[in-house]
Amino acid sequence: MKLEMTERDKKLLIFLAIFVIVVCIGYWGIFPIVKDMNQIKYDTIEEEQIREMNDLKLAQLPMIEKENEEYEEDIKKAKSDFYEMMNADEIDKLFTTMALDYNLYAYSMDISMPTEQAELEAYAYSEKYLADQEQEDALEEEDATAADGKDQSDSTETDTTAGSDPDDSQYYEDKMVGIYAATIQMKLGGEEAVLQKLIDDLSVSSKQQRLVSYQWDTDSDITIDDAGNYDIRYQKVLNIVIEIYMCEE
């Protein structure tokens, strides 16, 4: 059986061949070019946005540098209110020298070095304590309100916080300069008036140190002369506890 192609069949085959060639050229030739052009367009837009952002940062740089200088000065001023970080030997030397300057005798000294940052609460009847309590109550009320709103919300609601950037507060908290408190317990002897002056001087309000407590004791000293007579002398002894506050560099 002999098959003969009609003129119509030839035209159909030619059309199909042309169609296949056009599709191949479009898919493997034109489409990648268009795709690359679109990608270049998106990259150009992104680069333009980055450039504009960098230009804005450059424009703000002098102001930021000035603010940083002011912050550095504020930090230096705040640090000057505290002792520099010291080890136990340096603290011993500091308070031994202080006792000698007052013409006192240091019978004993016990130093407790800090292991973590100091947390000193405000006095219960001070304005700062009342302000802190009001702020704490307000935060608790906000947390309770937020918890009630969360309970009433749709359980199927999508969590939009997933994958978000971490809270910057934790970063800055880790970078904050810490204040450390060391406790010094001393037993001092000398003239009672001088010991009282030391108490008065240490009682003055200061961010460097705090007089925690003090207690008076009486110490006796017995001597025997050549004739065998006993001579008993009594003197005041001061047991004192001091906290000093040191700041990291």
Side-chain angles (χ1 to χ4, degrees):
M1 181 177 180
K2 186 178 180 180
L3 296 176
E4 293 183 1
M5 294 182 62
T6 63
E7 191 66 26
R8 181 175 178 274
D9 294 335
K10 292 180 180 179
K11 292 180 179 180
L12 182 60
L13 288 175
I14 294 172
F15 173 78
L16 291 175
I18 295 173
F19 177 76
V20 171
I21 293 172
V22 171
V23 170
C24 292
I25 293 174
Y27 186 78
W28 283 288
I30 300 176
F31 179 71
I33 296 175
V34 174
K35 184 178 179 181
D36 291 341
M37 291 177 62
N38 289 333
Q39 185 63 41
I40 292 173
K41 179 180 178 181
Y42 295 143
D43 292 342
T44 303
I45 295 174
E46 184 177 356
E47 291 295 331
E48 184 67 21
Q49 292 175 347
I50 294 174
R51 187 186 65 80
E52 291 178 357
M53 185 178 298
N54 291 335
D55 290 342
L56 179 60
K57 290 181 179 180
L58 288 174
Q60 294 176 342
L61 183 60
M63 180 180 63
I64 295 175
E65 289 179 342
K66 183 178 179 180
E67 290 180 352
N68 287 338
E69 291 176 358
E70 294 176 354
Y71 292 150
E72 289 292 338
E73 291 298 325
D74 292 340
I75 291 173
K76 289 180 181 179
K77 184 178 179 181
K79 286 183 177 181
S80 64
D81 294 333
F82 303 94
Y83 287 107
E84 296 180 356
M85 294 298 295
M86 295 182 288
N87 55 34
D89 291 337
E90 292 171 331
I91 295 175
D92 187 306
K93 181 179 179 180
L94 173 66
F95 281 89
T96 300
T97 303
M98 180 192 70
L100 293 176
D101 290 340
Y102 278 85
N103 293 322
L104 300 175
Y105 308 101
Y107 293 110
S108 63
M109 182 184 303
D110 182 25
I111 301 173
S112 299
M113 296 299 295
T115 57
E116 57 185 12
Q117 295 185 15
E119 293 184 3
L120 187 62
E121 296 184 356
Y123 177 57
Y125 299 101
S126 64
E127 294 182 359
K128 184 179 187 306
Y129 180 84
L130 297 177
D132 291 343
Q133 286 296 115
E134 292 179 359
Q135 184 177 5
E136 184 177 347
D137 293 342
L139 290 175
E140 290 179 356
E141 184 176 352
E142 290 180 2
D143 292 340
T145 304
D148 292 340
K150 184 177 180 181
D151 293 338
Q152 296 174 2
S153 64
D154 187 1
S155 60
T156 61
E157 182 179 357
T158 303
D159 185 5
T160 58
T161 62
S164 59
D165 294 335
D167 188 1
D168 289 341
S169 60
Q170 182 62 39
Y171 171 82
Y172 289 110
E173 182 178 351
D174 295 339
K175 298 297 181 181
M176 287 177 63
V177 176
I179 304 298
Y180 295 85
T183 303
I184 299 94
Q185 300 180 15
M186 298 180 65
K187 182 178 180 180
L188 300 171
E191 295 184 8
E192 183 176 354
V194 178
L195 291 172
Q196 183 61 53
K197 183 178 186 308
L198 174 64
I199 294 174
D200 295 339
D201 292 343
L202 293 176
S203 299
V204 176
S205 178
S206 170
K207 293 182 179 180
Q208 283 189 325
Q209 59 195 25
R210 180 172 71 96
L211 178 60
V212 179
S213 64
Y214 66 90
Q215 180 180 357
W216 291 99
D217 288 332
T218 302
D219 194 11
S220 60
D221 184 19
I222 302 176
T223 59
I224 303 175
D225 58 16
D226 295 336
N229 297 320
Y230 290 91
D231 183 17
I232 302 176
R233 297 181 180 180
Y234 298 96
Q235 64 175 355
K236 288 287 186 179
V237 176
L238 178 63
N239 295 298
I240 192 168
V241 180
I242 307 167
E243 271 189 356
I244 64 170
Y245 303 103
M246 302 175 292
C247 180
E248 291 178 325
E249 295 182 0

